[in-house]
């Protein structure tokens, strides 16, 4: 194992609390309910011994603290500033004035349709300030769903990836290599997932039958429209 990987830390934060781990070993846990305005105090309670200076930290943001949209890019929209303005406008249309205080990110590769997420800027600022104060390096800062999706390794022409974690379901659907839909919402009962998938599919015209839904954090179940449930989230 390299020196870099042996020192890489994983920090998970969300409304359920925070935890810090290295190579699967938990170094610190503060599992009290958190809000954006109490995160800085919780970060300050992490023992200095658990965060050696210059250590790389990967941050996983709980899905309940992120919001998503699949956004069409009209012809002529180009450059980061123009895409940023469009993403902000679309997010505000859906989520209202709360989105004014958000930081946004989206697919880096140019496309007619992008997957965009937003999170409270105060959350990002608290993490950046904590890293500066402790001398660690923020190697990445990702929503938990995106981190899991990047690692799961499955593929399907028509499919989706769903993660159920801490009572919050985040699910994205795609067809032919293009994102169709993305949303997160509270879901206490995994058995409600089939009905929720049917509602999502009903938003679109055309045949969206026979897809594969890769599910992480919920048991296998029968899905509508001939969809197949693949549990675990890591598929060869």
């Amino acid at each position: 194992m390299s020196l870099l990987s042996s020192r890489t830390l994983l920090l998970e934060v969300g409304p359920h609390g925070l935890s810090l781990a290295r190579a699967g070993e938990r170094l610190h846990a503060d599992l009290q309910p958190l809000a954006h305005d109490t995160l800085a105090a919780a970060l300050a309670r992490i023992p200095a011994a658990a965060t050696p200076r210059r250590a790389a930290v990967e941050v996983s943001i709980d899905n309940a603290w992120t919001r998503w949209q699949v956004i069409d890019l009209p012809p002529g929209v180009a450059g980061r500033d123009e895409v940023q303005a469009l993403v902000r406008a679309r997010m505000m249309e859906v989520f209202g004035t709360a989105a004014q205080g958000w930081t946004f990110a989206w697919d880096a590769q140019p496309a007619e349709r992008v997957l965009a997420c937003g999170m409270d800027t105060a959350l990002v600022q608290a993490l950046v300030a904590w890293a500066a104060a402790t001398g660690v390096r923020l190697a990445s800062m990702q929503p938990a769903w995106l981190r899991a999706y990047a690692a799961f390794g499955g593929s399907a022409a028509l499919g989706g990836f769903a993660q159920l974690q801490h009572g919050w379901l985040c699910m994205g659907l795609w067809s032919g290599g293009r994102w169709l839909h993305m949303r997160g919402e509270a879901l206490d009962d995994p058995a409600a997932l089939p009905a929720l998938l049917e509602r999502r599919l009903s938003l679109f015209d055309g045949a969206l039958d026979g897809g594969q839904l890769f599910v992480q954090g919920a048991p296998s179940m029968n899905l509508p429209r001939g969809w197949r449930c693949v549990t675990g989230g890591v598929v060869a």
Side-chain angles (χ1 to χ4, degrees), residues 147-155 160-161 174 214 216 233-236:
R147 181 181 177 87
Y149 171 74
F152 91 102
S155 63
F161 182 73
W174 64 78
F214 303 93
Q216 188 178 76
V234 179
V235 181

Side-chain angles (χ1 to χ4, degrees), residues 20 125 168 191 210:
L20 184 72
Q125 291 175 338
W168 190 270

